[in-house]
Amino acid sequence: MTAAAAIDCGTNSIRLLIADTDPAAGRLTDLDRRMEIVRLGQGVDRTGRLAPEALERTFAACRQYADAIAEHGITPDRIRFAATSASRDAENREDFIRGVKDVLGIVPEVITGDEEAELSFVGATRELIGRDGTTPPYLVLDIGGGSTEFVLGDAGVRAARSVDIGCVRLTERHLLRDGRVADPPTPAQIAAIAADIDAALDLAAERVPLTETHTLVGLAGSVTTVAGIALGLPAYDSAALHHARLTAGQVRETTDRLLAATHAERAAIPVMHPGRVDVIGAGALVLAKVMERVGAAEVVVSEHDILDGLLWTAAARG
C-alpha cells in the first residue's frame, strides 16, 4: 500500500484526499477526504483577476490541508495539487501559485481543461469498468464552478472537451445584480442560462460524440446535491450517493424545484451545503440539459472524480 495526497482547487471549492492505494486491486482506501467552499473564482468572469479575499480563503484552507498531510507523513513527491478553471482564466494566477507554494512547499499545476477531463475519467470509471449495468462508452460529466468537462471513453479516453458553463460562472453572468443573486430567477434569466448551456453543448459536440454515450456518469457537487435532493436524503451521505442512479425525470423535477425556490427555501434543504445555495440552480440546469442532449434515461452519480484521478497519479510517482 502506498499513501499519497491530492488537492483539487476549483472555482468554488478546494478538496483534499489522503489515501492508501492498492494498484493491483484498483482500490483506494481513504485516510482523509474533505472539502471547503472558498469561491476562488469570485468575480473572475467579470474582472479577469482572482480577488484578494478569495485568495486568502484559499490559502487558509491550504494551511489546514498542509497540517493534515504532515500528520500522515506524506512527502512532497507524493502530493499532487491541481488548479482548474478560475486559475486558468486569471491574469494574476502567479499570486495564487506563489501563495500555494509558500504554504505547501509544492508548485500547483494549473492544468488544462483536457487534462482535467482525463483525470476525472480515471477517477470516475476505474470502479465501473466491468460492473453490471454500466456498459461503455462512458460519458463522464464533471460540472464545476467555472467550467464543465465532457470525456467519452471505454477502458481509456477517446475524446474530451472543457467548456465554460460552470455553476458559479453562469450564476454570476445571469443572476447577479448589485451583488445579490436573483431570488428566485425570472423565466428570462433561466432562458439566458439555458441558451449559454446549449451553445456550450454545441462546442462540446464538435469534439466529443455525445450521442454515442451508453452510460452517463455525473460528478461533483452540483450532481451529488441534485441526487441527494431527488433521493430525499435527510443529510449528505456519501455512501448513499456513490453510484446512485437518477432518472431523467427525477433530474428535471429537481431542477425545476430549485429554479423556482427562494434562497431561504434552497438553504433549508437538508443536503444543501451553504456554499451551493446560490449556484445550485444553474448547476442543476446544466445536468438536465446535458441529459436531454445525450438522450440519457439515467445518470450514475459518482463520488469519485478528478480528486481520485489525481491521487492515483500521485501514488504512481517515484
Side-chain angles (χ1 to χ4, degrees):
M1 301 284 279
T2 300
I7 297 171
D8 166 37
C9 186
T11 300
N12 198 42
S13 64
I14 184 168
R15 301 180 300 148
L16 168 71
L17 173 60
I18 301 172
D20 285 326
T21 63
D22 184 346
R27 184 174 62 245
L28 295 178
T29 302
D30 290 8
L31 302 174
D32 193 343
R33 189 186 287 260
R34 61 177 83 173
M35 182 269 288
E36 297 287 339
I37 299 288
V38 294
R39 200 66 63 85
L40 178 62
Q42 171 193 331
V44 168
D45 192 53
R46 177 176 53 84
T47 68
R49 297 180 62 82
L50 299 169
E53 61 271 27
L55 285 168
E56 182 47 45
R57 289 193 298 266
T58 303
F59 298 153
C62 286
R63 286 189 282 272
Q64 296 177 22
Y65 291 178
D67 290 343
I69 290 168
E71 287 175 10
H72 288 280
I74 296 170
T75 55
D77 61 310
R78 292 198 180 276
I79 304 170
R80 191 168 183 195
F81 186 123
T84 53
S85 176
S87 305
R88 284 196 298 266
D89 297 343
E91 296 172 4
N92 60 334
R93 69 180 188 178
E94 290 302 321
D95 294 341
F96 167 76
I97 292 171
R98 184 168 51 252
V100 170
K101 184 178 179 182
D102 288 345
V103 174
L104 287 163
I106 59 170
V107 176
E109 305 166 56
V110 182
I111 61 175
T112 67
D114 287 347
E115 288 172 325
E116 184 177 355
E118 293 191 15
L119 286 163
S120 294
F121 186 84
V122 170
T125 64
R126 188 151 183 155
E127 296 173 316
L128 290 176
I129 295 172
R131 187 185 180 100
D132 289 345
T134 57
T135 58
Y138 306 99
L139 178 65
V140 173
L141 171 71
D142 187 349
I143 303 173
S147 64
T148 291
E149 281 65 53
F150 298 82
V151 54
L152 186 78
D154 303 288
V157 173
R158 283 170 42 189
R161 186 73 182 259
S162 177
V163 292
D164 288 340
I165 51 167
C167 60
V168 174
R169 188 186 300 273
L170 290 171
T171 299
E172 290 188 348
R173 184 177 294 167
H174 297 291
L175 303 183
L176 195 63
R177 296 292 182 274
D178 300 321
R180 297 178 61 86
V181 174
D183 186 28
T186 66
Q189 289 170 324
I190 294 170
I193 294 174
D196 271 9
I197 296 169
D198 285 336
L201 286 171
D202 290 341
L203 285 176
E206 291 175 0
R207 187 180 300 176
V208 181
L210 300 176
T211 55
E212 293 183 15
T213 302
H214 283 184
T215 302
L216 177 64
V217 184
L219 315 183
S222 289
V223 175
T224 56
T225 301
V226 167
I229 297 167
L231 296 173
L233 298 183
Y236 195 93
D237 185 340
S238 179
L241 291 168
H242 189 47
H243 292 165
R245 295 167 185 259
L246 299 184
T247 66
Q250 287 175 301
V251 170
R252 186 73 250 183
E253 181 181 351
T254 303
T255 299
D256 290 344
R257 172 186 170 187
L258 290 167
L259 290 172
T262 64
H263 176 97
E265 289 168 340
R266 294 191 303 274
I269 296 172
V271 299
M272 186 72 67
H273 189 287
R276 297 202 187 279
V277 174
D278 285 334
V279 300
I280 186 60
L285 189 55
V286 172
L287 175 59
K289 295 287 286 182
V290 170
M291 293 186 76
E292 290 173 8
R293 178 69 66 97
V294 169
E298 66 175 17
V299 58
V300 178
V301 179
S302 179
E303 283 277 307
H304 293 181
D305 50 30
I306 183 176
L307 191 59
D308 301 78
L310 285 166
L311 196 291
W312 280 112
T313 60
R317 290 176 170 177

